[in-house]
Amino acid sequence: MSEHYDVIVVGSGPGGATVTREFARAGKRVLLLEKGKEHKNLGTYLGAMTMFDRFGFFKSREGLTMLKTTTLGGATMVYSGSAAIPPPWLKTKYGIDLEGYAEAICRELKVDVLPERFMGEASRSIMEAGNRIGQEWEPMPKFLDITKFKNGRNSGARASLGLNYGDLWTARDFIRQAVEAGAKLITRAECLEIIVKNGVAVGVKARVAGKGVVEFYSDTVVICAGGIPTPVLLKKAGIAPAGEGCVVDPTILVYGISPLAGSYRDPLVSVVSWKWYESDGIRVGTLIDPWLMTLMGLAKTGLRHIPKILMYRKMIGILIKVKDELGGWVNMKGEVSKELTGDDMAKIDKGIAIARDVLIEAGCKPSSIVAGEIRGAHPSGTCRIGAVVDNNLKTSIDHLYVCDASIFPEALDRPTVITIIAFGMRLVDHVLGRKRTFTGSKG
């Protein structure tokens, strides 16, 4: 059984959704394959377990937990909705200018900061406390439509279990638009390999639920499966450098018990500080896990911390995310090796100290403060620009491209979605040979 398309896209996260929509709107016959299904039970623990690979317990060989989703829409179904423009170093160090694309995305998706009344009491108190001690906290821009945002209570801690409301953008929005423009979507379709003939990608082989192994053919193949699955497919296609090196934006939560309101009902990452981003590669913001995940995190830090869960509704969480050094690998089985360096750990320790300072200033007792486990938030950099793909995201195999977090040449240490969408739009323009005009763009 086989079918032919102009473009085949593998993976439905922000990169795959964008590439599919842009090609479909350009009149191309596009097929989007997604390994996961369109989960409906969003916002529940059971739903989250089925969306995350290995029920959320995917780990590197060294034991570092990594967030890896398998669902229509990818990681945007469990993200905080935070929006950050591409880092300036993409242009200065790598000659890639995404400014016009980023500005267009921000306009289309109504990126804006939360009005103060929607931030939540705990987030406001952290911002005020942080600014009293010179930490330079500010509201975090979001993908949201303020007119749909009801009392700021739709996206609290349970958003980490799956977004089941309509005020935050997810990749499913672009997928729906792509299908309306004529794209074909097949879920529960696991790409097994890229079909290459005479050095040219001509299609993919996939295991489709209810149909077995199916070959699909196309003029162009774009792999958007994510930072871990994408290098596996490229290695199978004979691209040896794929998977050599990895970054993960190591993340840790620091909790404190507040005398006032906790942050469980606040929108995730309502406020943030970039003060240490340029100098140290450290970013901090407000975020707390759902109740059960917080309990599990406390248990991992030691039995004596478990009773703190009784004060969950008074707990404030501070997210620390750091820019890690390149290292490790992803092999052909999809196994990951990633060990944090001494410099990485020093950044994490500094971030914990920053979090303690602001929590204490906000009224948390020092004895109530505890740091959770380190997690890999954004597995990426495994098919880097300059190592596996060129600046136009093309691999060494003709007609084969990549567009997901795996292409990042170094750790982003910031929300990734705008950067990935911008790369997707730029990739389609390159393949189609078109020049996009940005209305109102500075560049």
Side-chain angles (χ1 to χ4, degrees):
M1 180 177 178
S2 65
E3 300 177 32
H4 192 278
Y5 297 85
D6 296 320
V7 183
I8 292 174
V9 181
V10 176
S12 67
T18 301
V19 169
T20 302
R21 185 185 78 155
E22 296 299 300
F23 274 125
R25 286 182 168 180
K28 299 299 181 180
R29 190 163 183 254
V30 189
L31 171 65
L32 174 60
L33 299 175
E34 166 55 47
K35 178 182 176 181
K37 66 179 183 179
E38 186 175 0
H39 290 87
K40 302 290 188 182
N41 56 339
L42 304 175
T44 67
Y45 289 106
L46 179 61
M49 289 177 67
T50 57
M51 282 194 292
F52 283 109
D53 276 19
R54 301 185 192 177
F55 305 109
F57 295 101
F58 184 91
K59 295 179 181 289
S60 72
R61 285 193 170 186
E62 294 77 13
L64 180 66
T65 299
M66 295 186 179
L67 301 180
K68 183 169 175 281
T69 55
T70 303
T71 187
L72 186 68
T76 66
M77 301 311 299
V78 293
Y79 78 147
S80 68
S82 297
I85 62 173
W89 49 257
L90 273 174
K91 182 177 180 179
T92 57
K93 290 177 66 174
Y94 300 96
I96 299 172
D97 185 1
L98 299 177
E99 181 180 356
Y101 293 102
E103 291 175 355
I105 294 160
C106 290
R107 287 192 297 271
E108 178 186 355
L109 300 183
K110 297 181 171 64
V111 170
D112 202 354
V113 298
L114 285 169
E116 189 172 334
R117 68 186 186 278
F118 288 159
M119 286 180 195
E121 184 178 343
S123 296
R124 284 197 302 271
S125 69
I126 287 294
M127 182 168 65
E128 292 166 0
N131 290 337
R132 284 197 301 270
I133 58 176
Q135 288 192 357
E136 300 176 12
W137 286 73
E138 62 187 50
M140 183 72 206
K142 297 285 181 180
F143 293 101
L144 56 87
D145 184 343
I146 291 295
T147 63
K148 299 178 182 178
F149 207 79
K150 300 177 182 178
N151 301 320
R153 292 294 182 258
N154 286 3
S155 58
R158 293 183 71 88
S160 299
L161 303 176
L163 297 176
N164 59 352
Y165 46 87
D167 39 290
L168 286 177
W169 177 89
T170 74
R172 289 187 183 182
D173 295 323
F174 275 12
I175 294 166
R176 182 183 66 255
Q177 293 166 12
V179 171
E180 290 171 353
K184 181 176 180 179
L185 166 67
I186 303 179
T187 58
R188 301 172 67 193
E190 179 184 6
C191 183
L192 303 176
E193 64 179 87
I194 302 161
I195 302 172
V196 181
K197 294 183 179 179
N198 300 319
V200 179
V202 296
V204 301
K205 185 180 294 185
R207 183 183 294 110
V208 181
K211 293 185 178 180
V213 177
V214 184
E215 292 184 354
F216 300 98
Y217 290 88
S218 66
D219 299 325
T220 300
V221 176
V222 187
I223 305 298
C224 311
I228 298 173
T230 290
V232 174
L233 290 171
L234 266 56
K235 289 182 84 69
K236 288 180 178 179
I239 302 177
E244 297 302 314
C246 179
V247 291
V248 296
D249 283 351
T251 299
I252 189 169
L253 288 176
V254 179
Y255 297 108
I257 298 174
S258 168
L260 303 173
S263 53
Y264 76 103
R265 295 184 68 191
D266 292 7
L268 303 181
V269 198
S270 287
V271 295
V272 66
S273 174
W274 298 88
K275 180 176 180 178
W276 299 272
Y277 178 78
E278 294 291 341
S279 60
D280 299 281
I282 299 171
R283 183 170 59 90
V284 292
T286 51
L287 183 145
I288 192 169
D289 279 337
W291 183 89
L292 182 58
M293 294 170 64
T294 300
L295 175 61
M296 293 170 62
L298 291 172
K300 291 178 181 178
T301 64
L303 296 179
R304 64 190 179 89
H305 293 299
I306 292 178
K308 289 184 171 68
I309 197 65
L310 298 175
M311 299 295 291
Y312 176 72
R313 294 194 173 196
K314 292 284 189 177
M315 294 180 75
I316 296 177
I318 302 294
L319 169 79
I320 300 156
K321 192 167 289 186
V322 307
K323 183 182 180 77
D324 57 320
E325 298 179 343
L326 183 69
W329 45 259
V330 178
N331 66 18
M332 205 173 292
K333 296 179 180 179
E335 298 170 331
V336 181
S337 174
K338 174 61 178 178
E339 186 172 2
L340 300 181
T341 67
D343 285 345
D344 296 336
M345 294 305 300
K347 292 179 182 179
I348 290 170
D349 289 341
K350 182 170 182 176
I352 292 172
I354 292 166
R356 284 184 60 87
D357 288 345
V358 72
L359 286 170
I360 292 171
E361 178 65 23
C364 299
K365 293 182 178 180
S367 61
S368 76
I369 297 173
V370 58
E373 69 169 337
I374 301 171
R375 294 178 281 194
H378 303 140
S380 51
T382 50
C383 299
R384 296 180 304 287
I385 291 169
V388 178
V389 298
D390 64 18
N391 277 20
N392 293 314
L393 311 190
K394 180 183 174 297
T395 70
S396 57
I397 298 174
D398 285 343
H399 298 184
L400 177 62
Y401 297 84
V402 177
C403 187
D404 55 32
S406 71
I407 65 168
F408 296 160
E410 54 190 79
L412 229 61
D413 187 28
R414 62 174 58 207
T416 62
V417 174
I418 288 182
T419 301
I420 296 174
I421 294 175
F423 267 120
M425 295 171 69
R426 179 176 175 271
L427 168 59
V428 174
D429 285 350
H430 168 73
V431 173
L432 296 179
R434 69 185 182 188
K435 177 75 173 177
R436 191 182 298 249
T437 301
F438 298 105
T439 304
S441 171
K442 298 175 185 176

